[in-house]
């Protein structure tokens, strides 16, 4: 196998025998085969669009299928076999409609069909080797091809969630197909690939904007909210992942059943949406920390557990019977809840499991954190922020966020936040915050020193905060007293980083290690153009940021 799409690749160079995420070489191969089939579908979808043939089914399918190939989403070979069959069927259906309008010749890639009577694993290994070798000896172009592919996976995941909430933009769907089709082009220069990678960042900004609109138009703008970390007596269901729409679907189906619903991981910010909390009082608190701790935390949870998106670790037998997956998420032998006609799963099996289990038998000692500091909440007090900065009460802002992971060197982020001076404010988002989300950093005037902006896709909100403050101060965003110190793990983080580079954000510090798929020359380009740099030590980085 060859996989270097996440931060925890073996020795920082790529996984070649078994994935550090728990993905085996056979699953990796069928994922590669699915991506190959989506690359062949892309030119067909683009031609259909030009001829006015509807492609929405194709667009949504491509996003869901790409999402399934992301790190820690789906480990189930059988599900990928079905995705591959569906990709071929959708492609051939579109080709027939195109042929009815005009005779068209297709490339070998758009005519490729796996032999379903033979090993799909071996065929996936063959196309993966072909992809590696087609760039010849140009390591830098291959590096940027991987950057585009991984970035577009992140875009697809945000786009898929946005369409669930009724927010779509045809330009986003079209670009996803264009980027996939470009991976087969041999006439693009290094400069072309750099432009395409930055275009991924531009389109991802739009995808995050759509998802933000879906969340805020459905559930209201987040407001600062106290979230209990302590359990209360009663039956319980834990919901992990990112999908707030599917969280609401579960809340609807558990209403008046005597079940308390807890969030886990990236669903913590769901508590900040006022219309969600008002409508479902049994959405109570948050349980556990980041995704990589789930094997210990899930084993202890006395109820059913539902995984809505990525960040699934190979489950232990201590809790696999109470674990349920939905959407693109899957693992062999684990309960899967397929969608019903209205697009939401029937959670009855998970509810029955929760009622069967003991639940929490006592109220735990109260503990709490706050979330809900999205752009409206922060910019509504922009005048107080500006006054505090001009008055010398706030010296600097640190955006410390991104993905969490299992490597011990991620303790850097905890130590950094603990050492941030008392006249500085920390904004955070995504699961990286679980390294320090329960730290009591106090306040500066009425402003908390630690503000949770939201999920990884709420990087859009953080960007709007930065742009809003820059406008209020009448300076360029890079002139703000703001430093971005980011952690990354998977492909959504790649998409977000490309968005920040597209916006021209300078001096980003990235860790705990740099992507294995970034070649030395590409890293040099990013360093010279954007001053992108790896993290060093908390003391050194704080000293450099504070000047």
């Amino acid at each position: 196998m060859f996989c270097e799409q996440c931060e925890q690749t073996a020795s920082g160079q790529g996984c070649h025998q078994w994935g550090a995420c728990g993905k085996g070489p056979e699953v990796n191969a069928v994922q590669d085969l699915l991506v190959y089939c989506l690359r062949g579908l892309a030119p067909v979808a683009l031609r259909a669009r030009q001829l006015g043939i509807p492609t929405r089914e194709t667009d949504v399918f491509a996003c869901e299928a790409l999402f399934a190939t992301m790190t820690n989403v789906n480990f189930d070979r059988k599900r990928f076999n079905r995705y591959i069959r569906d990709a071929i069927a959708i492609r051939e259906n579109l080709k027939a409609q195109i042929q009815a309008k005009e005779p068209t010749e297709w490339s070998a890639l758009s005519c490729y069909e796996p032999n379903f009577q033979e090993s799909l694993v071996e065929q996936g290994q063959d196309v993966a080797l072909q992809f590696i070798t087609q760039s010849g000896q140009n390591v830098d172009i291959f590096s940027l091809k991987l950057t585009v592919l991984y970035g577009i996976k992140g875009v697809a995941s945000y786009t898929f969630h946005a369409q669930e909430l009724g927010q779509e933009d045809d330009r986003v769907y079209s670009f996803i197909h264009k980027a996939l089709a470009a991976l087969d082009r041999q006439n693009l220069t290094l400069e072309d690939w750099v432009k395409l990678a930055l275009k991924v960042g531009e389109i991802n900004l739009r995808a995050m904007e759509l998802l933000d609109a879906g969340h805020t138009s459905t559930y209201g703008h987040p407001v600062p909210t106290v979230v209990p970390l302590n359990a209360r007596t009663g039956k319980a269901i834990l919901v992990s992942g990112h999908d707030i729409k599917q969280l609401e679907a579960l809340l609807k189906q558990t209403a008046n059943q005597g079940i308390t619903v807890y969030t886990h991981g990236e669903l913590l910010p769901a508590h900040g949406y006022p219309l969600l909390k008002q409508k479902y009082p049994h959405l109570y608190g948050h349980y556990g920390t980041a995704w990589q701790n789930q094997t210990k935390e899930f084993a202890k949870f006395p109820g059913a557990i539902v995984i809505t998106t990525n960040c699934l670790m190979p489950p232990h037998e201590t809790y696999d019977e109470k674990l349920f997956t939905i959407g693109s998420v899957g693992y062999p032998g684990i309960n899967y809840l397929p969608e019903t006609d209205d697009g939401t799963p029937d959670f009855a099996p998970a509810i029955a499991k929760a009622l069967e289990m003991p639940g929490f038998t006592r109220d735990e000692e109260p503990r709490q954190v706050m979330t809900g500091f999205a752009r409206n909440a922060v910019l509504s007090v922009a005048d107080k922020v500006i006054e505090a900065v001009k008055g010398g009460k706030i010296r600097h802002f640190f955006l410390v966020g991104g993905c969490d992971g299992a490597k011990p060197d991620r303790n850097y982020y905890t130590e950094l936040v603990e050492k941030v001076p008392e006249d500085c404010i920390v904004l955070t988002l995504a699961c990286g915050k679980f390294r320090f989300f329960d730290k009591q950093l106090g306040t500066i005037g009425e402003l908390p020193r630690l503000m949770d902006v939201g999920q990884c896709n709420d990087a859009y909100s953080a960007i709007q905060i930065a742009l809003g403050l820059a406008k209020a101060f009448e300076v360029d965003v890079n002139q703000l007293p703001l430093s971005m110190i980011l952690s990354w793990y998977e492909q959504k983080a790649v998409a977000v980083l490309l968005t920040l580079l597209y916006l021209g954000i300078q001096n980003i510090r990235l860790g705990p290690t740099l992507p294995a798929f970034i070649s030395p020359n590409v890293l040099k380009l990013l360093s010279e153009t954007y001053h992108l740099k790896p993290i060093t030590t908390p003391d050194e980085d704080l000293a450099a940021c504070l000047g």
Side-chain angles (χ1 to χ4, degrees), residues 39-44 91-92 95 106-113:
R39 287 165 51 201
L41 170 61
V44 180
R91 186 194 72 194
E92 293 305 303
K95 285 167 68 174
W106 301 104
S107 69
L109 179 59
S110 292
C111 293
Y112 172 80
E113 184 164 351

Side-chain angles (χ1 to χ4, degrees), residues 7 33 55 72 75 158 308 312 331 335 390 403 465 488 522 543:
E7 191 272 333
L33 185 59
T55 62
N72 290 93
F75 301 80
Y158 291 143
T308 65
L312 170 68
Y331 197 89
N335 305 295
K390 290 182 176 179
C403 310
I465 291 171
W488 82 283
V522 171

Side-chain angles (χ1 to χ4, degrees), residues 372-385:
F373 293 96
R375 69 181 192 281
N376 270 29
V378 176
L379 293 179
S380 67
V381 294
D383 55 338
K384 295 180 180 178
V385 173

Side-chain angles (χ1 to χ4, degrees), residues 230-241:
N230 55 290
R232 67 184 185 188
T233 304
K235 306 291 186 179
I237 292 180
L238 184 64
V239 189
S240 189

Side-chain angles (χ1 to χ4, degrees), residues 157-235:
S157 70
Y158 291 143
T159 304
F160 180 72
H161 287 317
Q163 68 82 26
E164 282 186 316
L165 293 162
Q167 297 291 327
E168 299 178 87
D169 186 334
D170 205 53
R171 293 173 298 166
V172 177
Y173 287 137
S174 178
F175 178 76
I176 289 172
H177 294 305
K178 288 177 182 177
L180 288 171
L183 294 172
D184 198 46
R185 294 178 60 185
Q186 305 301 310
N187 60 340
L188 298 183
T189 65
L190 186 69
E191 291 73 20
D192 292 331
W193 283 106
V194 170
K195 291 178 181 177
L196 188 58
L198 293 176
K199 187 68 175 180
V200 172
E202 178 186 351
I203 294 299
N204 186 60
L205 180 64
R206 177 59 178 152
M208 291 192 298
E209 180 184 26
L210 290 169
L211 184 50
D212 177 87
H215 285 152
T216 56
S217 63
T218 306
Y219 307 115
H221 282 275
V223 296
T225 303
V226 173
V227 183
L229 296 179
N230 55 290
R232 67 184 185 188
T233 304
K235 306 291 186 179

